[in-house]
Amino acid sequence: MEIIFGRNKKEQLEPVRARVTGKIPAWLQGILLRNGPGMHTVGETRYNHWFDGLALLHSFTIRDGEVYYRSKYLRSDTYTANIEANRIVVSEFGTMAYPDPCKNIFSKAFSYLSHTIPDFTDNCLINIMRCGEDFYATTETSYIRRINPQTLETLEKVDFRKYVAVNLATSHPHYDAAGNVLNVGTSIVDKGKTKYVIFKIPAPVPGGRKEGRSPLKDTEVFCSIAAHSLLSPSYYHSFGVSENYIIFLEQPFKLDILKMATAYIRGVSWASCLAFHGEDKTHIHIIDRRTRKPVPTKYHTDPMVVFHHVNAYEEDGCLLFDVITYEDGSLYQLFYLANLNEDFKENSRLTSMPTLKRFVLPLHVDKNAEVGSNLIKLSSTTARALKEKDDQVYCQPELLCEGLELPHINYAHNGQPYRYIFAAGVQWSPIPTKIIKYDILTKSSLTWREEHCWPAEPLFVPTPGAKDEDDGIILSAIVSTDPQKSPFLLVLDARTFTELARASVDVEMHLDFHGLFIPDAGRDPGKQAPSQEAPARAAAGRAAPRT
Ligand SMILES: CC1=C(/C=C/C(C)=C/C=C/C(C)=C/C=O)C(C)(C)CCC1
Ligand SMILES: [Fe+2]
C-alpha cells in the first residue's frame, strides 16, 4: 500500500507511448481524462487524509490502436501556495493548515470571525466536468478549474459563488441531451437560510468561447430546497435524475456549521465537522423538472449514507432509483493515510458494506389508500412504499447486491430504464480489487480481477452504432503493487468482460477517483447510436476541442 498511498507521484509531462498487448478497437479514438490525489506531502508537512492530496490529472490518448500517457499536477492556487511555501498552507478535507497570516492566499481566506464559512480550497481533485467545449477539474467546494484536456494545463479558476449562492457543490453533475449541466450545491446560512440549490449551467452558445464567453456566466438556480436544519445541512456526494424528476437525498450525514466556523481556532479539520446521526431519518426530495418544484408528497426512509447514485427512471407511475448505500458514515474514516500502510488489512476493514439498493416511489399517492398499505404494485421489485398519514410515504428499498462502488452506466440510459451497472468491486477494504458488471435483470455479475492489481472506476464507451446497452468497451486505469508489473490501461469488452487489450506504461501512476472519456472530433462513438434520442446522451458524448 506504500506504493499507492505513501509516495508523491512524479508528473509525466511528455506523453509516453504505452506497450499495447491485444487489440484496441479501431473506432476507439479519444482521451481518457482522469483526476485524483497525487501528492501527499509538501516539504516536511504531510496531509492526513487521502482526499487531501494535491490533484494530479492524467490522460490516456488513444489513437489508431496506440496509447499515450501523460500526467500533470493541477496548478491550483492551493498547489502554488503550498509549493512556494514548501509546506501545506491551505486546509483540505482532513488537514487544517496554518499559513503565515501576513500572506493572504485566498482573498477572504482567514477572516474567520467575520465570515461564518471560510473560503475553501481550489485543489480540484475529484472529477472532470464537461461544459460545452470546456473541461473543468472539480472538487466539492465552490471552486472549479478549467483545464486543457490535451495538454493538462491549468486555466482559469471559477468560483460558483460569483453566479449562484453555493459554498459547496458536488463533483457529480448530470448532463442532458441539449448540453445543459445540472448540479446541486449547499448554500450555508445565506440570508438566514441554509438550502440545497439545484443549478443549471445552460448549454453554451456555439462558438461562444471564441468570443470569450464562459457558459458559467449564464448559470441559473433551477430550484432550491430548504435544509431541515439551518446549522446542520446534509453532506452529499451526488444526486439522481430521471427524465422528469431530480432525486436529492437529505441524509443524516451532516456538516455541523458551528463546528466548521470554529474549526480553525480549535485546530481540527473539516472532516471532524461531519457526523452521522443514526437517530434521524433520510428525507427523499423529488423535484419535478417540468415545474421546477418539489412534488407535494413527503418521502422518507431509514438512516443511511449514500455517496454514489447509480441511475433513476420512471415506470408505471413510479420513480425508481438505485443508490449505493452504507449503514453509517464510517467510509471516509477509512481513508486516513495513517491507516493506508502495511497494516492496511487490519486498519481499513469496511464496517459497513456498500450495498446497491433500489428505491421505488409512487408519484401519485391515492388519497383514499389506507395508512400502512404498500403503494408499489410493480411486479419487478420487492421495494415497498408505505402510506403514512399527512401525505407522507415511508420507503423500504430492495437490496440488489453488495460490494459495488464507483458505479458507472451507459450514460445514454441515464434517467432511462437500464439493465447494467459497471462498478469497482470491494471486498474487505474500500480500495477496489476488481471490476464488476452487474446485471439488474438476472441479478448476476461478471468480474475482472488480477493479483496485485487495484482498478480505478470503470468507464463505459459505446461502440459506434450500438443497439444494445452493453455494446461497447470498459476502460479502467489499473495500478499495480507488484514491482514487476507496470500500471496499465485495461480495455474490456463490456458484453463479455473479456480483455481486449492493455496498454502498460513504465511510469508511476496514481489511483484516481473519477474522470471521463472525450471522443475525438468526428468520431463520437455515440453519434450513430439509435439510443441517441435518450435525453442524456449528447453532452456526454460530444467531441473535444482541438487545441
Ligand atoms: C475541502 C472540503 C470538503 C471536501 C470534501 C472532499 C474532498 C470529498 C471527497 C470525496 C471523494 C473523493 C469521494 C470519492 O468518491 C467538504 C467536506 C465538502 C466541506 C468542507 C471543505
Ligand atoms: Fe464520486
Side-chain angles (χ1 to χ4, degrees), residues 278-322:
E279 68 286 2
D280 289 356
K281 46 181 157 181
T282 302
H283 303 282
I284 308 173
H285 297 279
I286 306 298
I287 313 296
D288 191 321
R289 293 174 74 172
R290 296 155 295 192
T291 59
R292 298 187 173 200
K293 293 209 167 63
V295 300
T297 311
K298 301 272 169 276
Y299 306 93
H300 68 99
T301 188
D302 293 332
M304 63 174 182
V305 175
V306 167
F307 299 102
H308 293 115
H309 281 250
V310 183
N311 198 8
Y313 62 93
E314 297 145 42
E315 190 179 303
D316 288 340
C318 294
L319 176 62
L320 293 82
F321 69 89
D322 298 338

Side-chain angles (χ1 to χ4, degrees), residues 126-127 140 171-172 235 237-238 307-308 332 405-407 457 513-514:
I126 306 182
N127 202 357
E140 296 189 348
S171 235
H172 287 287
Y235 170 82
H237 180 75
S238 65
F307 299 102
H308 293 115
Y332 282 6
E405 247 307 350
L406 304 171
E457 167 196 58
F513 291 140
H514 299 295

